[in-house]
Amino acid sequence: MSAPSSTLLVRGAVLPHETSPTGLSAPADLSIVDGTVTQVAPSGAMRVPAGVRVLDAAGRVAMPGFVDAHVHGEAAVLDEDVQHAMLRQGVTSIVVGQDGVSFAPTADPSHPDGDARPDAGRWAAGYFAAINGDHPTFSGGGIAELLATYDGTTPINVATLVPHGTVRYAVTGNADRPASADELARIVALTEQAFDDGACGVSTGLEYVPAAYADEAELVAVARVAAARGLPHVSHMRGYEDRAGTAFAELMRIASASGVGTHVSHYHGPAAELASYVDDALARGLDVTFDSYPYLRGCSILSMVALPTWLPVADRERAVRMLGDPAVLDRLHREHFPGLADLWERVTMANVPGPLRWSEGLSLPAVAAELGLSPAQAAVELLVSSGLRAGCVFAQPPTNSAESVRALLRHPAHVGGSDAIYGGGMPHPRGWGTFARFLAEHVRVRGDWTWSEARHHLSTRPAARFGLAGRGRLVPGSVADLALVNPDEVQDVATYDAPRRPAVGVEDVLVGGVRVLRDGHLTGELPGRALRPEGRRAPEREGTSP
């Protein structure tokens, strides 16, 4: 009897194991048919039909494909270099639409201004150009249309959140005020449509506009839409470090009022304090998770790092005009920039479109020296010359220590997220190294996790959090997203000086049972799919077959 051509045997792998001291099993074989794991058995015990294809794991660890719970990949995932970077870390699924700003929905169809309604997609693309990049194929529409751009076009699976800031802009524009009752009803309706189209949660970016203008009643109303579907509210809080307590308390009030599960984005700072907030919330019966990445530097747009909230940084053209006004500059130098003297020393340029591209990789003081300006003046020059598209890497305050990173990632509510931003000549290396670093530094070297615990943090828990059915485990019936990891060799090699170096130690990866990485190289296969929670299909459109 011969095997169907869609059958694959992964032979001689070790698997994450809950009760083993190392968190690993004895060698096992996995049978995969039509993209689904059908059998897991001790190695050599399985009857193998003639003609079956075999992938020899040779003692490598078979991990369920990792889910990057926080990444700015909605455009980058269509780039082969980024696909390679993700797969070389074992990442097979990503969650985009983070921080409340993304490409869809582009408009509010019920907006009273008709054709003059705000173009939310154009606004989001400009505001977050240095973060989300330029999507090469999305031409407008809702979440369904955005998700459609990922089906069969990439080896990586893509799920997306509803970006509350984009939704709000579609309804209110940049209005610096709470939403009216009519506007709130339209925000809720757009959010509901986005969930119907396949979103896996709603994200808020409460330090970004226009979400920063939303009152708690609006955030509760939006969170209730997610709660009704059993999906999370994912939030870039209204503040971190010394503002984390107040910001976290706001999220818990929203959770208590709405019944929503809460997921905190890129949680960082003093671990004992931050963990206590989560523990207290869990003790109260609230549903809380968070993501973090294993680096001590962050990355963002320079405008958010360097400019005050009274400048309209989300309206780039207006902000650039204001930065050319002597009165505005005088106010900045008198009232705002003197308080940033410590910050300038911690900033390095990552992405600088335009005539100052040569500054990528240089510290802000070094750029200032080259230009013959003060650091504050250089920051303004970088912002104006790039049209506010400049991105930067910056060292976090000392409270975000290596010990704090380790303590937070050991917390049972933690999941892995890279917060990767892929644009520019000198991006943060986390896009190329986060998941390999988790395995190398925190499993092999420091023992913060067993291999079984790594599976939970990097795959099982995020898949469950976002409703990605069939993913996160390698058991009969699960989707065959699988990475073979050499436990002795897996390592991140990207650095701040050479950030685009792919990780090592993950040479073979399957997505939906299709081999997308072979001996460390892309195969050209594109089995990636738009993921919808609980395996929901895309809404059927008129003229399509079931």
Side-chain angles (χ1 to χ4, degrees), residues 267 269-280 399 403-404 407-408 411:
Y267 207 38
E273 176 186 341
L274 298 187
S276 72
Y277 300 148
V278 176
D279 292 339
D280 290 347
T399 48
E403 292 74 20
S404 178
L408 285 174
H411 196 283

Side-chain angles (χ1 to χ4, degrees), residues 508-521:
D508 294 283
V509 177
L510 307 178
V511 171
V514 176
R515 202 164 177 182
V516 292
L517 194 72
R518 182 193 302 269
D519 300 328
H521 302 286

Side-chain angles (χ1 to χ4, degrees), residues 2-87:
S2 62
S5 60
S6 60
T7 301
L8 173 68
L9 178 72
V10 178
R11 183 171 59 196
V14 292
L15 298 169
H17 192 279
E18 300 285 350
T19 59
S20 165
T22 62
L24 292 173
S25 72
D29 296 342
L30 295 85
S31 176
I32 296 168
V33 180
D34 294 332
T36 299
V37 177
T38 58
Q39 189 177 356
V40 180
S43 192
M46 197 182 301
R47 180 175 175 273
V48 183
V52 72
R53 294 173 298 134
V54 175
L55 172 55
D56 189 358
R60 288 174 289 175
V61 183
M63 296 291 280
F66 300 141
V67 178
D68 192 338
H70 187 112
V71 58
H72 297 280
E74 40 261 77
V77 74
L78 299 172
D79 182 300
E80 286 190 356
D81 288 341
V82 173
Q83 296 163 8
H84 188 239
M86 291 176 176
L87 293 171

Side-chain angles (χ1 to χ4, degrees), residues 159-209:
T160 188
L161 304 163
V162 187
H164 161 259
T166 304
V167 169
R168 188 180 213 272
Y169 186 91
V171 174
T172 69
N174 265 328
D176 181 1
R177 57 170 173 76
S180 68
D182 175 67
E183 288 169 337
L184 180 55
R186 301 207 317 269
I187 288 170
V188 168
L190 274 178
T191 304
E192 289 175 334
Q193 181 61 56
F195 274 108
D196 290 344
D197 283 350
C200 65
V202 62
S203 74
T204 55
L206 300 180
E207 284 191 300
Y208 298 101
V209 297

Side-chain angles (χ1 to χ4, degrees), residues 292-307:
S292 72
Y293 52 84
Y295 293 86
L296 301 183
R297 300 186 198 181
C299 184
S300 189
I301 45 179
L302 181 62
S303 59
M304 183 180 177
V305 173
L307 296 179

Side-chain angles (χ1 to χ4, degrees), residues 448-464:
D448 293 313
W449 297 334
T450 64
W451 283 95
S452 179
E453 289 167 338
R455 172 178 66 82
H456 280 288
H457 285 265
L458 305 183
S459 189
T460 310
R461 193 171 297 136

